[in-house]
Every structure is written in structure tokens, then in C-alpha cells.
Amino acid sequence: MAAEPRRKIIAGNWKMNKTVSEALALVRELRGMVSVLRDKVEIVLAPPFVALHPVAKAIEDSNLKLAGQNCHWEALGAFTGEVAAPMLKEVGCAYVILGHSERRQYFGETDETVNKRAQAVLKAGLLPILCVGETLAEREAGRTLEVVERQVKGGLAGFGGAEVARFVLAYEPVWAIGTGRTATTAQAQEVHAAIRSQLVRLYDGGTAEQVRIQYGGSVKPDNAAELLGQKDVDGALVGGASLKAGDFAAIVKAGA
Ligand code: PGA
């Protein structure tokens, strides 16, 4: 039996942007723009934690899904300032972004903590969007694949193939995030293909075929179609351009 084709997944990572009222205004605008696409492409929004609940209400009965931008690995307890996976589940999230380079860079996330968070996410019935990517210095030193493969292996440590198949991976070269400098389609495809063959080696061909690998890093309406046209690019994780309804809708359409 032929495997189902991987459905593209376009996610908007709003980072620390939009108050609740601004978030609702953006969602109202976006909802109408992408409704015609129905389920041709999976669309995910990751607003700041405080906006999750109101945004969940605003996207009821739409083709938009919700994600947290991070979560703690414990289900509850004395961890001031943290948010737990079951809380994200109850508020209506389907996904949680994990190991974003800003979390790794500014908040000390490691492959080990990302892995623990991923366990909590799956246990809560959510799906992880696990981010990996090299810095400019690492790319220039010719270490891109080594760094990315270490992050993939570390993030997925201890999971079996059936669990791994539910992951979304996001390849985000750090030098392309928020810089306006996008990886070329060849650079993106090379790393995506390397990750997929790593998944074949670590698990099996069937698992590797199911895992969706997003590209992230200065994805814009004018480069989205070309990036999303690559064989192993199964979606996009969009930062800056997800803050404008028209831009994000154009990227989503490029994936449909
Ligand atoms: P950017 O961010 O689209 O603003 O480069 C992408 C990301 O950090 O996920």
C-alpha cells in the first residue's frame, strides 16, 4: 500500500508579539482569508500563552489549529513562570513548538531538556514541533549536518518509530531567523534530505516518510512557493511574516 502523501503544515510563530486584542484582530482577518483552503494544508498558530484561550475561541469551527511556543516537562508543580503540557491541551492546543533556537540561545535549552519536554507533550496528547538548526559559525565551519543530526538524535532520544512519526521537525538555520536572509532552496533541501535519511537509519523508511519537516527562517510570500516546492520540505515555520494576515495567508496558499 502506498504511503499517504505528507500534508503540508504551515505554522505561525508569533514569538513575544501581539496583546490579546491584537491577536484577536489578526485571527479575525486571517480566518476569512484562508477558509477556502479547508484541509488542503494544515495551518497552525502559536500566539503567546496569554492569548491562547481567546484565540482558541476565535478559531472554533475553522481550519486553524493552535500551538504553544514551549512547555515544561512536568505536568504540574512548583515551577514559577512555567506552563505545563496538559494546560496547553485543555486550552485547545494541538501542537507545541520545542527547542526553538531562541529558547536554546537565550534560555539555556539543551537537547536533553527539549527531549524531556517532548515526552511531556506526547503524554498530554499533543504533537511536538521540534526545532533544529545550525548557527552561522557552525555552517561556515562545515558543521551544519553534524549539528543538526545531533539535535535531531538528542531531541528524539528514547522514542520509538511510532512516536517519532507523529513529530513535526523544523529545520531553522539560526542565521536565517529574523534576518531576511533565507537559505537557498538547495541548502534547505540538502539538510531536509539529510534529516530524512538520518530518520531511515535511526528508525525505518516508513517512519522517515511520515515525519514532516518544516523549513523556517525568513519565509516570506515571495520565497515560500519555491521552498515549499522542494521534495523534502513539508511546510514552513514562519516568524515575522506570520504577524500580518495577508503575508501569512499568502504563505499558506503557497503550501496548498
Ligand atoms: P522568521 O522566524 O520567519 O522571522 O525568520 C522564524 C522562526 O523563528 O520560527
Side-chain angles (χ1 to χ4, degrees):
M1 199 179 77
E4 296 261 315
R6 293 182 296 271
R7 190 152 69 108
K8 293 231 180 348
I9 174 166
I10 313 291
N13 173 14
W14 296 4
K15 309 191 180 184
M16 198 173 72
N17 294 292
K18 306 286 179 191
T19 63
V20 169
S21 55
E22 291 165 350
L24 290 174
L26 174 57
V27 167
R28 265 182 227 118
E29 210 185 338
L30 181 66
R31 194 180 153 143
M33 289 178 172
V34 298
S35 62
V36 287
L37 301 171
R38 294 173 207 277
D39 51 9
K40 281 199 185 125
V41 56
E42 204 173 346
I43 313 169
V44 182
L45 305 178
F49 288 133
V50 292
L52 286 172
H53 187 61
V55 168
K57 297 262 166 241
I59 62 175
E60 266 172 17
D61 304 317
S62 79
N63 55 341
L64 297 167
K65 293 183 183 173
L66 208 54
Q69 294 179 14
N70 187 27
C71 75
H72 196 264
W73 53 83
E74 295 291 343
L76 77 174
F79 301 99
T80 302
E82 293 294 313
V83 170
M87 298 172 184
L88 297 178
K89 173 76 178 171
E90 195 195 81
V91 93
C93 286
Y95 290 92
V96 186
I97 298 171
L98 295 176
H100 188 280
S101 68
E102 286 147 20
R103 300 293 319 168
R104 294 179 191 258
Q105 214 178 326
Y106 307 134
F107 303 100
E109 301 259 346
T110 62
D111 292 335
E112 289 71 32
T113 57
V114 170
N115 180 253
K116 283 165 75 173
R117 290 172 209 273
Q119 292 172 36
V121 164
L122 286 181
K123 194 167 170 208
L126 295 159
L127 301 172
I129 299 177
L130 169 60
C131 306
V132 298
E134 81 288 0
T135 62
L136 186 59
E138 287 162 344
R139 174 162 284 268
E140 286 174 345
R143 296 182 49 221
T144 298
L145 296 184
E146 168 206 325
V147 168
V148 167
E149 288 181 10
R150 188 200 68 225
Q151 291 173 339
V152 169
K153 191 171 176 199
L156 298 179
F159 292 112
E163 288 162 318
V164 169
R166 296 160 66 198
F167 274 71
V168 173
L169 300 180
Y171 169 56
E172 298 204 299
V174 178
W175 48 270
I177 294 179
T179 58
R181 194 176 155 189
T182 321
T184 64
T185 49
Q187 284 172 328
Q189 171 55 27
E190 183 200 6
V191 178
H192 284 232
I195 294 173
R196 204 169 312 279
S197 28
Q198 182 189 14
L199 295 174
V200 176
R201 291 196 304 279
L202 289 175
Y203 304 95
D204 55 76
T207 303
E209 277 309 307
Q210 283 181 69
V211 173
R212 290 178 295 173
I213 310 175
Q214 295 176 310
Y215 168 80
S218 299
V219 177
K220 307 277 181 237
D222 62 0
N223 60 26
E226 219 195 326
L227 285 159
L228 291 165
Q230 302 301 301
K231 179 172 171 288
D232 289 292
V233 177
D234 308 311
L237 184 53
V238 186
S242 71
L243 300 173
K244 288 199 192 118
D247 285 359
F248 189 63
I251 294 169
V252 167
K253 283 176 188 153

